[in-house]
Amino acid sequence: MRFRVLGPVRVSPRTPTAAKPRAVLATLLIQNDKVVSTHTLIDELWGTEPPRTATTTLQVYVSQVRRVLLEGEPDGRQPLITRAPGYLLRVSPDDFDLAVFERLRDSGRAAFARRDYAEASRQLREALSLWTGPALSGIPHGPTLQTSAIRLEELRAEVLEQSISADLRLGRHQELVGELMALTREQPLRESLQGHLMVALYRSGRQSEALEVYRRARRSLVDELGVEPSPALRKLHERILTSDPALAWRPTADPTPRPAQPRDVPVVRLPAPLPDFTGRTTELGHAERFLAGTGPVDSRVLAVSGRPGAGKTAFAARLAHSSGDRFPDARVLLTLRDAGGRALAPEAVITALLRTLEAPHASGAPADVLHARTRGRKMLLILDDAVSEAQVRPVLAALPDATVILTSRHALGALEGVQHLVLDVLGCAEAEALLMNCGGAAMADDPEATAEIARLCGGLPLALRVAAAALAARPHWTAADLARRLADERGRLAALRVGDLDVRGSLLTAYRDVTEDNRHAFRVLGLAPLPDFALWSAAALLATDPAEAERRVEDLVQARLLEAVRRPDRLTPVRYGFHALLRGLALDVLAEESPHHTSPATARLAEAFLTLTRHADARLAPSRDLMPPPATAPPALAPEDIVGPSPLRWFREESPGLLETIRQTHRAGLWHLCTALASAAAGYYEAAALWSDWQESHELALDAARETEDLLAEAVVLRSLADLEWQRHHPNAARDLYRLAWQLFTRAGHRVGAGRCLSGEADVLLGLGRVARAERNYARALSVARTEADPRGEADAERGLALVAQREGRLPEAHTRLTACATAAARAGDERWHAYATRRAATVTESAGVTQPLEVRPGVWLFPES
């Protein structure tokens, strides 16, 4: 074999001489055919204090490993490739000692289960012969390698013990005595080895030595751990004391006797129960009523569905472990996928069930044999990870009397006569309790960080367990350290991987199960705004019509890759979003598989937002946006159907997505769309008083305008920022920005924009009590507006001159100016400004004077109230 980790880490024909490149190679080998993130490798090499040059140094080590690997490849193919967010190593299982060991272990265990002890001993001993020393030795161990080394040593001990069990059943007790004596001296606290030695000695006619082994073992346990031997070891001691004849080995002519009939010995094939299973009280109660036959529906099949990592298998296994009295004939869990994650055919499932239930060989169709094997018997069968109704229908038809629990990632709704139970993510309290149970003191010491970890894991049981395991594997970390690492959405899945526990891999199985069209949709929808998005956003991102977009997102909801959220109070009552971990996966696979889709999809979403925002803003404040339309054509939308009769309400509901889209256009370098969208949203931000969103969006837009040296775009953004400073009661900053915007508008030859800056600066001057200078600015702005046929600018200037006239006591002029303001607003199509000016004019008459004084303050003159 070319690659070895069962002992010193080696690769032929040449192993890297330096320790750290060997550690990189070992980490990649342990995760063979899985992406290992750069973050994981840096942790492995340097722990929590990597050098400043860690990333560059790691690249050097990877390059050294690549050179070594290439030497042994006859076809020159490089097995180590770069794959975001790190590296992927693919080696043939036949060339890798760990893969061969695991294959031999599995076949040996299977032979042992069917009582072919000679074959079991041969396979298991061959597996043990691959070991040349302690696993992963000769290199420094970080958290991943340390965890893997512990796991591998435990697997080695398990295989050794099972091989000894097989040899004892073959009558090889005398040959085993020497080996077992050496092993028990090395591991005096391992009771299973002590028990094997006692049996070997007893069967070799050395009863007194067998009893002495027990006394030594008991002394070691009491002295070292303060505990008595286990009940099994004590029972064996009693049987040796009484010379129990059942302990003697009896050869048999048939080394592979037929298994006991099903009514004699129950068949139990279940995974070990989780000692820290937490929560699910309501769901367990529902399932237990189903098993007891007291549920609301008379059915023998319970379909448990939920997203990957929701704990469906653990839930079903817990039910089976607690139901032994109800199902005395068999309790079995069978996975309906092969080792590569592919769905088993119904015929293969039936054959596997027959083998698991130890059915005797019989002629006839396998389905008929299974029917006869289970008829009239009390059996609980868990068919785990079902793919479709078509996969399980023939199997259920062959199991007319058995009780069946189906687990699946999506609801198998087309099955008839089935009870359904959905496992969602855990609630906050249950998620935190699971972290506490799995993570121990590190979690209990910092409940605030624990709550944050639970939130970042989205309450997903698998993610919570992996997070706790990651903390346990790194005792130098605190819960707060882990929470900080999980806070980065792009690196979150990489952080949720410990040994062979990998949240990303589990989520990828659901992604790979859907069609390529839906995989594409999942990837691209990762660019959708947070926290949720409407169907029109999906249509824009996917470049399709709303009906096709709805079909795809609903398919993803059924596959548990998207979530549908019902919000009756919203303009779009059905919205869609990602689980906390799935959006990171979507962005990961988009970067890996469709990187060229990112900018076009972002542009389509921004264009859709721009079309809708301009439509809504035109109804709020026509002619306010001075930016020219984008160079690209806007998408085909029906803005009036989406925005509805209340543009301000639409704006408020979509504001998080609007700001996120502006951020995305900036990240993607879509500079014109960034400035255009921010400018189009300015009137909305002002009307809704969203000052922080206004500030952030326009700072990004200002940077975008300067990237392209677009004077007009820069001027538009600066004028809007000046409005913002005036609204925030920062008159000096507002005046400076108006002046700077005026200069840029003038240089760009945009007289309308320059004129509106004059009105804006005049508002600030008037607010500061500098009436004469304000009046000159308003007059200049009015002249520009009339020359440029800008009714909106004209209305703005007339409004300012009316205010000056009123303050100076020139009431007839103030009335005339307000009337002119209303007329100009009507020409601009701005109903709100027209109504506002008309209402104010009514308070000023030539005869009665002022009945309601006009104020000069931000928020009154820049934008009228609703």
Side-chain angles (χ1 to χ4, degrees):
M1 265 157 287
R2 188 177 171 213
F3 300 95
R4 294 184 177 274
V5 295
L6 303 180
V9 175
R10 288 181 294 164
V11 57
S12 61
R14 181 172 66 89
T15 303
T17 54
K20 287 194 183 298
R22 289 205 310 276
V24 170
L25 173 61
T27 306
L28 294 167
L29 280 170
I30 287 296
Q31 301 288 338
N32 182 32
D33 207 23
K34 293 181 181 178
V35 176
V36 181
S37 70
T38 301
H39 175 74
T40 298
L41 290 168
I42 289 174
D43 269 2
E44 194 64 32
L45 296 177
W46 293 288
T48 58
E49 297 182 357
R52 183 175 53 82
T53 59
T55 302
T56 304
T57 306
L58 174 61
Q59 291 170 353
V60 173
Y61 293 156
V62 170
S63 178
Q64 293 174 9
V65 171
R66 279 187 168 133
R67 285 198 298 271
V68 167
L69 294 176
L70 206 53
E71 292 177 12
E73 293 293 335
D75 58 359
R77 181 184 58 85
Q78 175 56 254
L80 176 54
I81 60 175
T82 300
R83 175 72 60 83
Y87 302 95
L88 173 69
L89 176 62
R90 287 194 175 121
V91 301
S92 168
D94 292 335
D95 286 342
F96 186 22
D97 63 351
L98 176 55
V100 175
F101 170 79
E102 290 178 332
R103 186 170 67 240
L104 290 169
R105 167 181 172 264
D106 291 343
S107 58
R109 285 165 59 90
F112 192 97
R114 63 176 182 268
R115 303 186 183 184
D116 187 353
Y117 300 121
E119 178 65 13
S121 175
R122 187 187 68 78
Q123 298 270 10
L124 296 172
R125 290 290 178 179
E126 186 177 346
L128 292 169
S129 70
L130 297 171
W131 287 73
T132 59
L136 298 165
S137 53
I139 56 172
H141 284 186
T144 300
L145 291 179
Q146 182 64 30
T147 303
S148 299
I150 294 170
R151 182 179 71 87
L152 292 177
E153 291 295 341
E154 190 59 33
L155 284 179
R156 181 186 190 182
E158 173 204 312
V159 170
L160 175 62
E161 290 181 14
Q162 191 160 35
S163 71
I164 291 170
S165 295
D167 287 341
L168 284 172
R169 285 167 169 78
L170 293 168
R172 298 171 181 169
H173 35 268
Q174 291 183 340
E175 296 98 314
L176 288 171
V177 168
E179 179 184 4
L180 283 167
M181 283 184 170
L183 289 171
T184 53
R185 286 193 178 92
E186 292 173 6
Q187 304 178 65
L189 302 181
R190 200 168 187 101
E191 294 184 61
S192 53
L193 291 176
Q194 302 284 1
H196 286 323
L197 177 56
M198 290 166 64
V199 171
L201 287 168
Y202 178 78
R203 289 179 177 175
S204 300
R206 300 159 69 174
Q207 182 178 15
S208 60
E209 292 178 66
L211 295 173
E212 178 59 28
V213 168
Y214 176 81
R215 285 191 288 272
R216 283 201 308 268
R218 180 180 179 279
R219 190 181 312 116
S220 296
L221 289 166
V222 172
D223 292 347
E224 295 290 332
L225 304 178
V227 298
E228 289 288 336
S230 66
L233 198 61
R234 293 202 302 270
K235 179 65 174 175
L236 177 59
H237 177 240
E238 293 171 5
R239 295 175 68 190
I240 292 173
L241 278 172
T242 58
S243 299
D244 185 350
L247 274 180
W249 179 74
R250 291 181 178 84
T252 175
D254 183 3
T256 56
R258 292 175 59 129
Q261 291 303 308
R263 290 193 182 277
D264 298 331
V265 179
V267 178
V268 180
R269 300 286 185 273
L270 298 172
L274 291 175
D276 45 21
F277 187 95
T278 304
R280 303 292 191 200
T281 305
T282 302
E283 294 90 342
L284 284 170
H286 178 93
E288 285 166 358
R289 288 191 294 275
F290 159 79
L291 294 178
T294 59
V297 179
D298 183 16
S299 172
R300 62 180 182 83
V301 181
L302 175 67
V304 180
S305 60
R307 70 180 80 251
K312 303 179 291 296
T313 304
F315 177 85
R318 182 175 181 84
L319 285 171
H321 278 292
S322 63
S323 304
D325 293 342
R326 291 196 183 106
F327 303 101
D329 294 321
R331 287 171 292 144
V332 166
L333 184 146
L334 181 69
T335 301
L336 302 192
R337 294 176 187 258
D338 63 16
R342 294 175 293 272
L344 296 176
E347 298 78 11
V349 176
I350 291 172
T351 301
L353 274 174
L354 286 170
R355 186 168 57 250
T356 304
L357 292 172
E358 301 176 354
H361 295 291
S363 59
D368 295 337
V369 176
L370 182 62
H371 185 289
R373 172 71 175 84
T374 59
R375 185 175 57 241
R377 296 190 170 98
K378 293 182 178 180
M379 295 181 171
L380 174 61
L381 306 179
I382 300 171
L383 303 182
D384 189 41
D385 208 1
V387 176
S388 66
E389 291 89 343
Q391 183 191 31
V392 297
R393 270 201 188 95
V395 183
L396 295 177
L399 298 168
D401 296 333
T403 298
V404 179
I405 297 178
L406 294 172
T407 74
S408 179
R409 291 169 197 152
H410 60 275
L412 301 174
L415 292 176
E416 303 81 11
V418 173
Q419 288 193 44
H420 291 275
L421 178 62
V422 177
L423 291 189
D424 205 343
V425 296
L426 297 177
C428 295
E430 287 187 339
E432 291 170 31
L434 179 56
L435 282 172
M436 296 282 192
N437 290 341
C438 297
M443 295 291 185
D445 291 343
D446 193 343
E448 185 175 337
T450 300
E452 180 65 4
I453 293 169
R455 184 187 71 80
L456 293 169
C457 290
L460 193 67
L462 175 62
L464 296 167
R465 290 185 179 280
V466 176
L471 200 56
R474 300 170 176 88
H476 52 287
W477 280 15
T478 65
D481 292 332
L482 178 59
R484 281 193 294 273
R485 290 174 181 268
L486 295 176
D488 176 14
E489 183 183 35
R490 292 297 185 102
R492 191 174 302 159
L493 288 174
L496 290 173
R497 180 188 299 164
V498 177
D500 58 354
L501 291 175
D502 182 8
V503 175
R504 187 179 191 273
S506 176
L507 299 179
L508 270 175
T509 57
Y511 165 75
R512 290 168 177 156
D513 272 353
V514 299
T515 64
E516 175 51 38
D517 281 351
N518 288 334
R519 288 199 293 271
H520 167 76
F522 173 75
R523 295 191 297 267
V524 175
L525 290 175
L527 300 170
L530 295 174
D532 52 45
F533 56 91
L535 196 58
W536 65 262
S537 299
L541 284 166
L542 299 175
T544 188
D545 59 79
E548 176 64 14
E550 183 175 29
R551 184 189 67 77
R552 293 196 193 176
V553 296
E554 287 295 336
D555 283 350
L556 293 174
V557 169
Q558 290 298 309
R560 300 287 198 269
L561 290 170
L562 273 183
E563 296 177 339
V565 184
R566 182 83 186 169
R567 298 202 173 169
D569 59 325
R570 302 287 290 269
L571 286 170
T572 49
V574 177
R575 300 179 70 84
Y576 301 90
F578 284 92
H579 180 268
L581 297 174
L582 279 167
R583 185 171 185 265
L585 177 67
L587 295 174
D588 276 357
V589 292
L590 178 63
E592 291 174 9
E593 300 177 24
S594 310
H596 57 286
H597 286 299
T598 302
S599 290
T602 300
R604 291 193 298 270
L605 178 62
E607 289 162 4
F609 255 121
L610 186 58
T611 298
L612 296 171
T613 302
R614 280 184 163 158
H615 172 79
D617 192 47
R619 298 176 62 185
L620 286 171
S623 306
R624 183 178 181 81
D625 185 9
L626 295 175
M627 286 290 292
T632 52
L637 292 173
E640 60 280 357
D641 295 335
I642 296 170
V643 173
S646 176
L648 191 58
R649 178 184 173 189
W650 178 84
F651 265 130
R652 289 184 186 279
E653 291 181 1
E654 298 293 347
S655 62
L658 177 66
L659 181 58
E660 177 62 23
T661 303
I662 293 172
R663 293 186 188 119
Q664 287 188 29
T665 58
H666 187 272
R667 283 195 295 268
L670 302 171
W671 307 123
H672 183 77
L673 280 170
C674 181
T675 52
L677 189 51
S679 175
Y684 153 64
Y685 285 137
E686 186 175 334
L690 293 175
W691 310 137
S692 60
D693 287 7
W694 190 353
Q695 179 81 37
E696 182 183 351
S697 65
H698 279 57
E699 285 178 351
L700 293 171
L702 185 60
D703 182 67
R706 288 171 176 169
E707 281 284 342
T708 56
E709 299 181 353
D710 187 338
L711 287 181
L712 176 57
E714 186 176 353
V716 169
V717 174
L718 286 171
R719 185 185 68 83
S720 184
L721 285 170
D723 291 347
L724 172 60
E725 294 299 338
W726 178 229
Q727 290 284 1
R728 285 176 159 175
H729 302 269
H730 301 151
N732 293 328
R735 182 185 56 195
D736 292 343
L737 287 169
Y738 280 128
R739 288 178 177 174
L740 180 56
W742 177 84
Q743 292 173 3
L744 294 177
F745 275 124
T746 302
R747 286 171 57 191
H750 198 288
R751 287 174 52 77
V752 170
R756 294 192 189 179
C757 288
L758 290 172
S759 287
E761 184 182 358
D763 284 332
V764 177
L765 292 169
L766 194 58
L768 294 172
R770 302 170 70 174
V771 180
R773 187 166 176 183
E775 186 172 15
R776 287 196 296 273
N777 270 27
Y778 285 132
R780 289 172 62 194
L782 181 60
S783 175
V784 171
R786 286 174 174 170
T787 301
E788 299 296 322
D790 175 23
R792 174 57 192 243
E794 188 177 340
D796 207 8
E798 291 282 17
R799 178 268 308 161
L801 289 169
L803 179 57
V804 171
Q806 184 181 354
R807 288 189 59 155
E808 295 293 309
R810 305 192 302 267
L811 299 182
E813 181 185 348
H815 183 272
T816 301
R817 295 287 187 188
L818 285 168
T819 302
C821 175
T823 302
R827 292 204 313 275
D830 192 333
E831 296 178 4
R832 298 179 73 219
W833 268 87
H834 176 266
Y836 171 78
T838 302
R839 188 168 61 250
R840 285 295 184 180
T843 66
V844 180
T845 66
E846 296 182 17
S847 57
V850 181
T851 60
Q852 180 179 349
L854 298 179
E855 301 177 71
V856 184
R857 60 179 175 84
V860 171
W861 296 117
L862 289 183
F863 201 84
E865 66 272 17
S866 301

